[in-house]
Amino acid sequence: MKIELTGISKIYKNGNAALKDFTLEIESGMLGLLGPNGAGKTTLMKILSTLMTPSSGGVKVDGLDIIKDREKIRKMIGYLPQDFGNFPKLRAWEFLDYSAALTGIVNKKKRRDEVDRMLEMVGLYKFRDRFAKKLSGGMKRRLGIAQALIGDPKIVIVDEPTTGLDPEERIRFRNILSDMSSDERIIILSTHIVGDISSTCGKMALLNKGELKFKGKPEELVSLAKGHVFKIKAFESDLNEIKERYPVISSVPSDDGWDVEVVADKIETYSYEELEPNLEHAYMYFVEFILENKFSAVG
Ligand code: ADP
């Protein structure tokens, strides 16, 4: 599987440029799309899911053209939109049955089998008779992913799936997605939550203001932050100043003050130790120093 986006731009009617000359090749496996709000992730997901056409540029899916071969491509895609959850008055299984009918599974028995398989897979079999509207937030999301996975699509597109979920549901949701990952499938997971990516995605793309800023393995982004993550041993009285000078990742009380984790080019004045960066550190470093250049003048 391969998706090739070449020079994509999207300008909304009001003049907002949501994507600017965006080029990206997506191979099989799980790709995490990370970026702050407004980066252009949802716009990109909508274009990939054929719901929106780009203002310019081209998209090819295994050589098929997203405009000319739209119907063929649409059949290859399962999509879980960000605002999913407005269910008609249907029970969980009825909703999936209806979704399966929409994807073209006409045989009733086949449809039932597929629905049961999906309910099992997302852990909702026990709740199949409950009205979809009455499911908890996490269960609704799982029903949403079941809907997107019906018929074994070759491309699965999931927009901000874990927002608002508690940690247990978030992990569960991520596990369902990574279980679905294979060499013949592309899964694209858009999120602004770094943890969603670090625990599941082999590759990541970082968007900012409609542009691609990084594509690679999460470890590669992490290695960029090496030498830029520190734990400052701070006195209570220094806390405010530290927060003004550096992007703070965390601050926890210690025996004699506070341990404050920050990203920085270098630390002056305070006593500190260097830390091994993780993806959360790396993302913060990347956004604050490389993209925004906000803190770079401060030592
Ligand atoms: P993200 O999903 O990363 O938050 P979006 O794709 O939703 O980003 O938005 C990218 C940019 O496009 C933002 O500046 C947003 O305000 C703008 N935008 C999104 N949808 C529309 C729309 N329907 N009309 C005008 N501007 C839009």
Side-chain angles (χ1 to χ4, degrees):
M1 283 304 294
K2 191 155 86 173
I3 302 177
E4 295 161 283
L5 298 134
T6 313
I8 294 289
S9 297
K10 178 72 197 181
I11 322 256
Y12 285 106
K13 282 202 190 91
N14 66 356
N16 274 353
L19 293 172
K20 299 171 203 160
D21 195 18
F22 190 94
T23 295
L24 173 69
E25 195 171 304
I26 306 172
E27 309 87 13
S28 298
M30 209 156 152
L31 174 77
L33 212 59
L34 187 65
N37 278 331
K41 302 182 299 294
T42 298
T43 303
L44 185 62
M45 304 280 96
K46 285 188 179 159
I47 290 173
L48 288 173
S49 59
T50 76
L51 294 177
M52 189 183 267
T53 47
S55 311
S56 58
V59 185
K60 292 230 173 296
V61 178
D62 265 355
L64 298 171
D65 182 88
I66 203 143
I67 295 175
K68 277 197 240 129
D69 306 304
R70 186 168 156 179
E71 287 313 310
K72 266 192 209 154
I73 292 179
R74 191 168 266 190
K75 287 206 173 79
M76 298 161 82
I77 292 174
Y79 178 44
L80 176 58
Q82 192 175 6
D83 49 11
F84 188 81
N86 217 349
F87 294 100
K89 195 164 187 289
L90 292 175
R91 294 177 194 280
W93 78 264
E94 287 173 327
F95 174 73
L96 291 181
D97 190 61
Y98 169 75
S99 309
L102 286 183
T103 66
I105 310 178
V106 283
N107 180 296
K108 212 170 167 179
K109 164 86 173 62
K110 257 201 189 145
R111 223 160 55 217
R112 283 291 167 85
D113 289 348
E114 181 68 357
V115 166
D116 284 353
R117 190 172 78 84
M118 289 297 131
L119 286 166
E120 287 283 5
M121 196 173 78
V122 300
L124 287 178
Y125 192 79
K126 265 202 313 199
F127 302 96
R128 63 192 177 282
D129 285 325
R130 191 176 288 187
F131 281 112
K133 274 182 204 259
K134 301 267 162 157
L135 294 170
S136 70
M139 288 178 182
K140 280 184 183 149
R141 285 264 127 191
R142 281 190 266 142
L143 190 61
I145 193 70
Q147 162 275 145
L149 295 175
I150 278 176
D152 250 344
K154 289 268 178 276
I155 300 170
V156 179
I157 297 174
V158 185
D159 198 359
E160 297 278 1
T162 63
T163 310
L165 295 187
D166 62 41
E168 200 185 322
E169 273 290 356
R170 198 177 300 157
I171 291 166
R172 195 162 184 174
F173 193 93
R174 288 176 193 160
N175 288 342
I176 293 170
L177 279 187
S178 34
D179 287 350
M180 288 298 297
S181 192
S182 88
D183 289 347
E184 275 116 57
R185 178 177 283 134
I186 290 176
I187 302 182
I188 303 170
L189 169 70
S190 154
T191 185
H192 66 274
I193 300 171
V194 180
D196 285 348
I197 300 220
S198 51
S199 52
T200 41
C201 298
K203 293 262 176 68
M204 63 184 288
L206 224 152
L207 272 73
N208 193 45
K209 298 184 179 146
E211 292 174 14
L212 180 68
K213 295 296 180 183
F214 171 88
K215 189 201 167 197
K217 294 182 181 156
E219 308 88 271
E220 287 164 355
L221 192 73
V222 169
S223 69
L224 289 179
K226 202 161 165 53
H228 297 284
V229 184
F230 304 96
K231 181 159 80 180
I232 297 177
K233 304 289 224 179
F235 297 113
E236 176 94 29
S237 53
D238 294 332
L239 271 184
N240 282 341
E241 194 182 298
I242 289 171
K243 283 178 187 163
E244 272 166 32
R245 289 179 73 169
Y246 309 104
V248 170
I249 298 153
S250 66
S251 46
V252 289
S254 66
D255 287 346
D256 47 1
W258 289 78
D259 285 341
V260 188
E261 278 184 37
V262 300
V263 290
D265 277 333
K266 61 178 193 290
I267 304 283
E268 285 166 349
T269 321
Y270 308 106
S271 71
Y272 65 87
E273 62 185 83
E274 195 181 313
L275 299 177
E276 273 304 308
N278 60 30
L279 192 59
E280 197 180 348
H281 299 141
Y283 180 55
M284 191 181 246
Y285 180 71
F286 198 82
V287 170
E288 300 286 356
F289 284 80
I290 298 179
L291 295 183
E292 298 291 338
N293 223 4
K294 256 198 267 178
F295 286 86
S296 56
V298 186

CSV table of all heavy atoms in Angstrom, one decimal, residues 10-19 34-46 52 82 159-160 190-192 207 209-210, ligand 1:
chain,number,residue,atom,x,y,z
A,10,LYS,N,-4.9,23.5,0.4
A,10,LYS,CA,-6.3,23.6,0.6
A,10,LYS,C,-6.6,25.1,1.2
A,10,LYS,O,-6.1,25.4,2.2
A,10,LYS,CB,-6.8,22.6,1.6
A,10,LYS,CG,-8.3,22.8,1.9
A,10,LYS,CD,-9.2,22.3,0.8
A,10,LYS,CE,-10.6,22.8,0.9
A,10,LYS,NZ,-11.4,22.4,-0.2
A,11,ILE,N,-7.3,25.8,0.4
A,11,ILE,CA,-7.6,27.2,0.8
A,11,ILE,C,-9.2,27.1,1.0
A,11,ILE,O,-9.9,26.8,0.0
A,11,ILE,CB,-7.3,28.2,-0.3
A,11,ILE,CG1,-6.0,27.9,-0.9
A,11,ILE,CG2,-7.4,29.6,0.3
A,11,ILE,CD1,-4.8,28.6,-0.6
A,12,TYR,N,-9.6,27.4,2.2
A,12,TYR,CA,-11.1,27.5,2.4
A,12,TYR,C,-11.6,28.8,1.8
A,12,TYR,O,-10.9,29.7,1.5
A,12,TYR,CB,-11.4,27.4,3.9
A,12,TYR,CG,-11.2,26.0,4.5
A,12,TYR,CD1,-10.1,25.7,5.3
A,12,TYR,CD2,-12.1,25.1,4.2
A,12,TYR,CE1,-9.9,24.4,5.8
A,12,TYR,CE2,-12.0,23.8,4.7
A,12,TYR,CZ,-10.9,23.4,5.5
A,12,TYR,OH,-10.7,22.2,6.0
A,13,LYS,N,-13.0,28.8,1.7
A,13,LYS,CA,-13.6,30.0,1.0
A,13,LYS,C,-13.3,31.3,1.7
A,13,LYS,O,-13.2,32.3,1.0
A,13,LYS,CB,-15.1,29.8,1.1
A,13,LYS,CG,-15.7,28.8,0.1
A,13,LYS,CD,-17.1,29.0,-0.2
A,13,LYS,CE,-17.7,27.9,-1.1
A,13,LYS,NZ,-18.3,26.8,-0.3
A,14,ASN,N,-13.1,31.3,3.0
A,14,ASN,CA,-12.8,32.5,3.7
A,14,ASN,C,-11.3,32.9,3.5
A,14,ASN,O,-10.8,33.9,4.2
A,14,ASN,CB,-13.2,32.5,5.1
A,14,ASN,CG,-12.3,31.5,5.9
A,14,ASN,OD1,-11.5,30.8,5.3
A,14,ASN,ND2,-12.5,31.4,7.2
A,15,GLY,N,-10.5,32.1,2.8
A,15,GLY,CA,-9.1,32.5,2.5
A,15,GLY,C,-8.1,31.8,3.4
A,15,GLY,O,-6.9,31.9,3.2
A,16,ASN,N,-8.7,31.0,4.4
A,16,ASN,CA,-7.7,30.3,5.3
A,16,ASN,C,-7.0,29.2,4.5
A,16,ASN,O,-7.6,28.4,3.8
A,16,ASN,CB,-8.6,29.5,6.3
A,16,ASN,CG,-8.8,30.4,7.6
A,16,ASN,OD1,-8.4,31.5,7.7
A,16,ASN,ND2,-9.7,29.8,8.5
A,17,ALA,N,-5.7,29.3,4.6
A,17,ALA,CA,-4.9,28.2,3.9
A,17,ALA,C,-4.6,27.2,4.9
A,17,ALA,O,-3.7,27.3,5.8
A,17,ALA,CB,-3.6,28.9,3.4
A,18,ALA,N,-5.3,26.0,4.9
A,18,ALA,CA,-5.2,25.0,5.9
A,18,ALA,C,-4.0,24.1,5.5
A,18,ALA,O,-3.4,23.5,6.4
A,18,ALA,CB,-6.5,24.2,6.0
A,19,LEU,N,-3.7,23.9,4.3
A,19,LEU,CA,-2.5,23.1,3.8
A,19,LEU,C,-1.8,23.9,2.8
A,19,LEU,O,-2.4,24.4,1.9
A,19,LEU,CB,-3.0,21.7,3.3
A,19,LEU,CG,-3.6,20.7,4.3
A,19,LEU,CD1,-4.1,19.5,3.5
A,19,LEU,CD2,-2.6,20.3,5.3
A,34,LEU,N,0.8,14.3,14.0
A,34,LEU,CA,0.8,15.1,15.2
A,34,LEU,C,1.0,16.6,14.8
A,34,LEU,O,1.7,16.9,13.9
A,34,LEU,CB,2.0,14.6,16.1
A,34,LEU,CG,2.1,15.2,17.5
A,34,LEU,CD1,1.0,14.7,18.3
A,34,LEU,CD2,3.4,14.7,18.1
A,35,GLY,N,0.3,17.4,15.6
A,35,GLY,CA,0.4,18.9,15.4
A,35,GLY,C,-0.5,19.6,16.2
A,35,GLY,O,-1.6,19.1,16.6
A,36,PRO,N,-0.2,20.8,16.6
A,36,PRO,CA,-1.1,21.6,17.4
A,36,PRO,C,-2.4,21.9,16.7
A,36,PRO,O,-2.6,21.7,15.5
A,36,PRO,CB,-0.3,22.9,17.6
A,36,PRO,CG,0.8,23.0,16.7
A,36,PRO,CD,1.0,21.6,16.1
A,37,ASN,N,-3.4,22.3,17.5
A,37,ASN,CA,-4.7,22.7,16.9
A,37,ASN,C,-4.5,23.7,15.8
A,37,ASN,O,-3.7,24.6,15.9
A,37,ASN,CB,-5.6,23.3,18.0
A,37,ASN,CG,-6.3,22.2,18.8
A,37,ASN,OD1,-6.5,21.1,18.3
A,37,ASN,ND2,-6.6,22.5,20.1
A,38,GLY,N,-5.3,23.4,14.7
A,38,GLY,CA,-5.2,24.4,13.6
A,38,GLY,C,-4.0,24.0,12.6
A,38,GLY,O,-3.8,24.7,11.6
A,39,ALA,N,-3.3,22.9,12.9
A,39,ALA,CA,-2.1,22.6,12.0
A,39,ALA,C,-2.6,22.2,10.6
A,39,ALA,O,-1.8,22.2,9.7
A,39,ALA,CB,-1.3,21.5,12.7
A,40,GLY,N,-3.8,21.6,10.5
A,40,GLY,CA,-4.3,21.1,9.2
A,40,GLY,C,-4.6,19.6,9.2
A,40,GLY,O,-4.8,19.1,8.1
A,41,LYS,N,-4.5,19.0,10.3
A,41,LYS,CA,-4.7,17.6,10.4
A,41,LYS,C,-6.1,17.1,9.9
A,41,LYS,O,-6.2,16.2,9.1
A,41,LYS,CB,-4.5,17.1,11.8
A,41,LYS,CG,-3.1,17.4,12.4
A,41,LYS,CD,-2.9,16.8,13.8
A,41,LYS,CE,-3.9,17.4,14.9
A,41,LYS,NZ,-3.8,18.8,15.2
A,42,THR,N,-7.1,17.8,10.4
A,42,THR,CA,-8.5,17.4,10.0
A,42,THR,C,-8.7,17.6,8.5
A,42,THR,O,-9.3,16.7,7.8
A,42,THR,CB,-9.5,18.1,10.8
A,42,THR,OG1,-9.3,17.7,12.2
A,42,THR,CG2,-10.9,17.8,10.4
A,43,THR,N,-8.2,18.7,8.0
A,43,THR,CA,-8.3,19.0,6.6
A,43,THR,C,-7.6,17.8,5.8
A,43,THR,O,-8.2,17.3,4.8
A,43,THR,CB,-7.6,20.3,6.3
A,43,THR,OG1,-8.3,21.3,7.1
A,43,THR,CG2,-7.8,20.7,4.8
A,44,LEU,N,-6.4,17.4,6.2
A,44,LEU,CA,-5.7,16.4,5.5
A,44,LEU,C,-6.5,15.0,5.6
A,44,LEU,O,-6.7,14.3,4.6
A,44,LEU,CB,-4.3,16.2,6.2
A,44,LEU,CG,-3.4,15.2,5.5
A,44,LEU,CD1,-3.1,15.7,4.1
A,44,LEU,CD2,-2.1,15.1,6.3
A,45,MET,N,-7.1,14.7,6.8
A,45,MET,CA,-7.9,13.5,6.9
A,45,MET,C,-9.1,13.5,6.0
A,45,MET,O,-9.5,12.5,5.4
A,45,MET,CB,-8.4,13.4,8.4
A,45,MET,CG,-7.4,13.4,9.5
A,45,MET,SD,-6.6,11.9,9.7
A,45,MET,CE,-5.2,12.2,8.7
A,46,LYS,N,-9.7,14.7,5.9
A,46,LYS,CA,-10.9,14.8,5.0
A,46,LYS,C,-10.5,14.6,3.6
A,46,LYS,O,-11.3,14.0,2.8
A,46,LYS,CB,-11.6,16.2,5.2
A,46,LYS,CG,-12.4,16.2,6.5
A,46,LYS,CD,-13.2,17.4,6.7
A,46,LYS,CE,-14.0,17.4,8.0
A,46,LYS,NZ,-14.4,18.8,8.3
A,52,MET,N,-13.3,15.7,0.9
A,52,MET,CA,-13.0,17.1,0.5
A,52,MET,C,-12.0,17.0,-0.6
A,52,MET,O,-11.1,16.1,-0.6
A,52,MET,CB,-12.4,17.7,1.7
A,52,MET,CG,-12.2,19.2,1.6
A,52,MET,SD,-11.4,19.8,3.1
A,52,MET,CE,-12.8,20.2,4.1
A,82,GLN,N,-13.6,13.0,13.6
A,82,GLN,CA,-13.4,13.6,14.9
A,82,GLN,C,-14.7,13.8,15.7
A,82,GLN,O,-14.8,13.5,16.9
A,82,GLN,CB,-12.7,15.0,14.7
A,82,GLN,CG,-12.2,15.6,15.9
A,82,GLN,CD,-11.5,16.9,15.6
A,82,GLN,OE1,-11.5,17.4,14.4
A,82,GLN,NE2,-10.9,17.5,16.5
A,159,ASP,N,-9.4,10.2,13.3
A,159,ASP,CA,-9.1,11.6,13.6
A,159,ASP,C,-9.4,11.8,15.1
A,159,ASP,O,-10.5,11.7,15.6
A,159,ASP,CB,-10.0,12.5,12.8
A,159,ASP,CG,-9.5,14.0,12.8
A,159,ASP,OD1,-8.5,14.3,13.4
A,159,ASP,OD2,-10.1,14.8,12.1
A,160,GLU,N,-8.3,12.2,15.8
A,160,GLU,CA,-8.4,12.6,17.3
A,160,GLU,C,-9.2,11.5,18.1
A,160,GLU,O,-10.2,11.9,18.7
A,160,GLU,CB,-9.0,13.9,17.5
A,160,GLU,CG,-8.2,15.1,16.8
A,160,GLU,CD,-7.1,15.6,17.7
A,160,GLU,OE1,-6.9,15.0,18.8
A,160,GLU,OE2,-6.4,16.5,17.3
A,190,SER,N,-4.6,10.6,13.6
A,190,SER,CA,-4.3,12.1,13.8
A,190,SER,C,-4.6,12.4,15.3
A,190,SER,O,-5.6,12.0,15.8
A,190,SER,CB,-5.2,12.9,12.9
A,190,SER,OG,-5.4,14.1,13.4
A,191,THR,N,-3.7,13.2,15.9
A,191,THR,CA,-3.8,13.4,17.3
A,191,THR,C,-3.0,14.7,17.7
A,191,THR,O,-2.1,15.1,17.0
A,191,THR,CB,-3.4,12.2,18.1
A,191,THR,OG1,-3.7,12.4,19.5
A,191,THR,CG2,-1.9,11.9,17.9
A,192,HIS,N,-3.4,15.3,18.8
A,192,HIS,CA,-2.5,16.2,19.4
A,192,HIS,C,-1.9,15.7,20.7
A,192,HIS,O,-1.3,16.4,21.5
A,192,HIS,CB,-3.1,17.6,19.6
A,192,HIS,CG,-4.2,17.6,20.5
A,192,HIS,ND1,-5.5,17.3,20.2
A,192,HIS,CD2,-4.3,17.9,21.8
A,192,HIS,CE1,-6.3,17.4,21.3
A,192,HIS,NE2,-5.6,17.8,22.3
A,207,LEU,N,2.9,18.2,11.7
A,207,LEU,CA,2.4,19.3,10.9
A,207,LEU,C,2.3,20.6,11.7
A,207,LEU,O,2.1,20.5,12.9
A,207,LEU,CB,0.9,19.1,10.5
A,207,LEU,CG,0.6,18.3,9.2
A,207,LEU,CD1,0.9,16.8,9.4
A,207,LEU,CD2,-0.9,18.5,8.9
A,209,LYS,N,0.9,24.7,11.0
A,209,LYS,CA,0.4,25.8,10.0
A,209,LYS,C,0.3,25.3,8.6
A,209,LYS,O,0.8,26.0,7.7
A,209,LYS,CB,1.3,27.0,10.2
A,209,LYS,CG,1.3,27.6,11.6
A,209,LYS,CD,2.1,28.9,11.7
A,209,LYS,CE,2.0,29.4,13.1
A,209,LYS,NZ,3.2,30.1,13.5
A,210,GLY,N,-0.2,24.1,8.4
A,210,GLY,CA,-0.4,23.6,7.1
A,210,GLY,C,0.8,23.1,6.3
A,210,GLY,O,0.7,22.7,5.2
B,1,ADP,P1,-6.4,20.6,13.0
B,1,ADP,O1,-7.2,19.4,12.7
B,1,ADP,O2,-4.9,20.3,12.9
B,1,ADP,O3,-6.8,21.3,14.2
B,1,ADP,P2,-7.8,21.9,10.8
B,1,ADP,O4,-7.6,21.1,9.5
B,1,ADP,O5,-9.1,21.7,11.5
B,1,ADP,O6,-6.6,21.6,11.8
B,1,ADP,O7,-7.6,23.4,10.5
B,1,ADP,C1,-6.6,24.0,9.8
B,1,ADP,C2,-6.8,25.5,9.5
B,1,ADP,O8,-7.9,25.6,8.6
B,1,ADP,C3,-7.2,26.3,10.8
B,1,ADP,O9,-6.6,27.5,10.6
B,1,ADP,C4,-8.7,26.3,10.7
B,1,ADP,O10,-9.2,27.5,11.4
B,1,ADP,C5,-9.0,26.4,9.2
B,1,ADP,N1,-10.3,25.7,8.9
B,1,ADP,C6,-10.7,24.5,9.1
B,1,ADP,N2,-11.9,24.2,8.6
B,1,ADP,C7,-12.3,25.4,8.0
B,1,ADP,C8,-13.5,25.8,7.3
B,1,ADP,N3,-14.5,24.9,7.1
B,1,ADP,N4,-13.5,27.1,6.9
B,1,ADP,C9,-12.5,27.9,7.1
B,1,ADP,N5,-11.3,27.6,7.7
B,1,ADP,C10,-11.2,26.4,8.2
